[in-house]
């Protein structure tokens, strides 16, 4: 096991800078997830940790050792990719044993390691099968088995679940989390699925255009996003981001006379152009609230999602109650002031 330290790391492809000074400290045994939109640099950063890409600037350490110039083989890491290409003519057992065999290990050394990985991943009944005789989730487990037998200091995963259907993903998510608890190995895991990130990570790193927007525990990012990007990225359905101005009496929504409440008056100057952030579940039905015209109603059984507008800006609200109002009808709602977020419209940073 090992810590990983990423300091002022940069990656340029010619004149294009894709990683622009990233700092991340990963503790020994920690499960860290890199999230961010497509093209933000997640795979590039992971591949730099693995040694599959050169580092243009900065430093990466695994444990105490600077690995910038170390061959991938010498880094003691195992990587599982999105396309986990198993050897089609080899059985599950042979697939898992292959890398150890190639490195010259003896059968007496390989067998117990394969047996242990098979046990951890519940692959024991499948050891004699070929990849084509397995389901997608089982193949994914074999790919993980190949990584586990190597007993690496660090596991790197690049969107390992993106080829699986929704149900299998949920199941594999639980399995990977349990695997981490059993092995206690440091994991760096890339996904653009923020639900995956929220449910599995000890710590989330939000990347955007090659820079770190925020690092924190999942619920810290959810409860106190540092800026507009993180506010809009973490959470599904997304946080409502409503444009307007901070005034003494509250937040005045652009294009309407509506005032929304917040609890701690920010030090901002009255009249400051700002964005009011409120999660869909932090609206509530309230007879004394303001009226909205329902546009779309989506009942999921456990809750009801309502789409509407405030001052011409689209909003989504989620209620535990069932809503009988249909499109075109008016309901009254209020925002829970203690859950309101405020961001400076110009700097996009949190102000309250
Ligand atoms: N070999 C290369 N030459 C030039 N640009 C590259 C190269 N490889 C990647 N890039 C660029 O670097 C940026 C980051 O790519 P990367 O694959 O790290 O994104 P990502 O966050 O993993 O995205 P995705 O979620 O789509 O997998 C992209 O804009 C990509 O076009
Ligand atoms: Mg990628």
């Amino acid at each position: 096991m090992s810590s990983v330290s990423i300091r002022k790391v940069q990656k340029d492809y010619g004149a294009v800078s894709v990683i622009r000074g990233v700092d991340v400290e990963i503790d020994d045994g920690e499960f860290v997830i890199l999230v961010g939109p497509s093209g933000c640099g997640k795979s590039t950063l992971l591949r730099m940790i693995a040694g599959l890409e050169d580092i243009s600037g900065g430093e990466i350490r695994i444990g105490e050792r600077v690995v910038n110039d170390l061959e991938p083989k010498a880094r003691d890491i195992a990587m599982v990719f999105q396309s986990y290409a198993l050897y089609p003519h080899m059985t599950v057992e042979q697939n898992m044993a292959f890398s150890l065999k190639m490195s010259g290990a003896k059968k007496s050394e390989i067998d117990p390691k394969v047996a242990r990985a098979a046990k951890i991943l519940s692959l024991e009944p499948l050891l004699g099968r070929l990849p084509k005789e397995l389901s997608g989730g089982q193949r994914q487990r074999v790919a993980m088995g190949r990584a586990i037998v190597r007993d690496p200091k660090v596991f790197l995963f690049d969107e390992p679940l993106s080829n699986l259907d929704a149900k299998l993903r949920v199941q594999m998510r639980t399995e990977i989390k349990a695997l981490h608890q059993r092995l206690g190995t440091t994991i760096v895991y890339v996904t653009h699925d923020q639900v995956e990130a929220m449910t599995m990570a000890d710590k989330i790193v939000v990347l955007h255009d090659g820079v770190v927007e925020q690092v924190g525990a999942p619920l810290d990012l959810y409860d106190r996003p540092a800026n507009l990007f993180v506010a809009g990225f973490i959470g599904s359905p997304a946080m409502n981001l409503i444009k307007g101005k901070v005034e003494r009496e509250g937040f005045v929504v652009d294009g309407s006379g509506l005032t929304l409440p917040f609890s701690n008056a920010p030090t901002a100057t009255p009249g400051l152009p700002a964005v009011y952030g409120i999660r869909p579940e932090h609206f509530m039905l309230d007879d004394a609230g303001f009226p909205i015209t329902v546009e779309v109603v989506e009942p999921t059984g456990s809750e009801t999602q309502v789409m509407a507008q405030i001052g011409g800006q689209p909003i989504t609200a989620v209620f535990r109650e069932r809503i009988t109002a249909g499109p075109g009808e008016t309901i009254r709602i209020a925002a829970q002031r203690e859950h309101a977020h405020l961001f400076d419209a110009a700097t996009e940073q949190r102000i309250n």
Side-chain angles (χ1 to χ4, degrees):
M1 286 196 281
S2 247
S3 58
V4 177
S5 174
I6 298 166
R7 295 181 190 162
K8 298 190 168 51
V9 164
Q10 296 178 20
K11 177 71 187 175
D12 307 322
Y13 289 110
V16 186
S17 193
V18 298
I19 298 288
R20 302 182 289 145
V22 164
D23 289 288
V24 184
E25 292 297 324
I26 299 167
D27 292 337
D28 191 16
E30 205 169 27
F31 195 146
V32 170
I33 297 196
L34 309 178
V35 286
S38 186
C40 71
K42 304 179 294 294
S43 297
T44 304
L45 191 55
L46 202 69
R47 291 169 59 81
M48 287 198 284
I49 300 172
L52 302 170
E53 296 283 353
D54 294 337
I55 299 165
S56 310
E59 184 179 277
I60 296 181
R61 286 171 189 257
I62 298 179
E64 284 309 303
R65 195 158 58 147
V66 177
V67 298
N68 286 33
D69 300 316
L70 218 55
E71 287 290 302
K73 276 200 300 265
R75 295 191 183 197
D76 215 351
I77 44 109
M79 187 147 169
V80 179
F81 297 92
Q82 173 180 348
S83 56
Y84 33 83
L86 303 175
Y87 302 108
H89 57 287
M90 290 186 197
T91 64
V92 168
E93 184 167 18
Q94 288 163 342
N95 262 287
M96 290 204 283
F98 187 71
S99 70
L100 294 176
K101 210 168 154 187
M102 289 309 284
S103 68
K106 293 197 197 69
K107 189 169 163 23
S108 59
E109 205 179 312
I110 297 173
D111 286 353
K113 287 189 172 168
V114 171
R116 171 173 163 267
K119 185 160 190 286
I120 290 171
L121 295 164
S122 308
L123 287 170
E124 286 155 313
L126 308 175
L127 284 171
R129 291 209 199 163
L130 293 171
K132 65 174 184 207
E133 299 165 328
L134 302 175
S135 72
Q138 289 165 342
R139 279 179 217 165
Q140 186 63 62
R141 271 186 273 154
V142 178
M144 268 184 249
R146 287 196 303 197
I148 290 174
V149 294
R150 296 176 45 202
D151 227 341
K153 283 190 186 146
V154 181
F155 283 112
L156 305 176
F157 290 95
D158 195 353
E159 309 219 27
L161 307 186
S162 54
N163 285 334
L164 305 180
D165 67 37
K167 192 170 163 214
L168 257 180
R169 284 171 81 126
V170 174
Q171 192 184 324
M172 288 303 296
R173 225 192 261 162
T174 316
E175 287 185 22
I176 293 176
K177 203 168 167 175
L179 179 73
H180 176 248
Q181 276 154 9
R182 240 170 293 156
L183 299 176
T185 311
T186 311
I187 295 182
V188 188
Y189 186 108
V190 164
T191 180
H192 59 251
D193 179 338
Q194 51 88 21
V195 178
E196 246 173 56
M198 289 297 290
T199 51
M200 293 200 295
D202 294 322
K203 190 155 95 186
I204 296 178
V205 178
V206 183
L207 272 182
H208 179 211
D209 279 347
V211 298
V212 173
E213 293 279 357
Q214 193 173 1
V215 179
L219 291 178
D220 290 344
L221 297 199
Y222 193 84
D223 293 339
R224 278 192 74 78
N227 54 48
L228 273 181
F229 180 80
V230 178
F233 190 77
I234 299 284
S236 175
M239 184 187 283
N240 294 294
L241 298 170
I242 302 163
K243 295 193 184 82
K245 288 188 175 61
V246 178
E247 300 290 359
R248 281 190 210 293
E249 66 275 22
F251 180 87
V252 179
V253 176
D254 280 351
S256 75
L258 187 64
T259 301
L260 296 171
F262 48 80
S263 26
N264 305 312
T267 47
T269 2
L272 180 81
V275 177
Y276 185 92
I278 184 98
R279 295 206 178 273
E281 69 269 29
H282 294 144
F283 281 121
M284 57 192 172
L285 294 171
D286 183 352
D287 290 336
F290 57 88
I292 55 167
T293 305
V294 173
E295 290 175 355
V296 179
V297 185
E298 293 181 346
T300 65
S302 60
E303 49 193 28
T304 313
Q305 196 165 313
V306 173
M307 270 73 107
Q309 291 189 16
I310 298 180
Q313 306 182 49
I315 60 152
T316 300
V318 172
F319 306 107
R320 303 296 297 184
E321 298 91 341
R322 301 209 166 164
I323 309 284
T324 48
E329 293 182 56
T330 299
I331 56 172
R332 285 184 171 271
I333 66 170
Q336 296 174 25
R337 66 172 68 232
E338 67 277 19
H339 290 298
H341 309 256
L342 284 177
F343 303 93
D344 186 314
T347 65
E348 303 197 345
Q349 299 300 305
R350 180 181 197 92
I351 47 177
N352 186 24

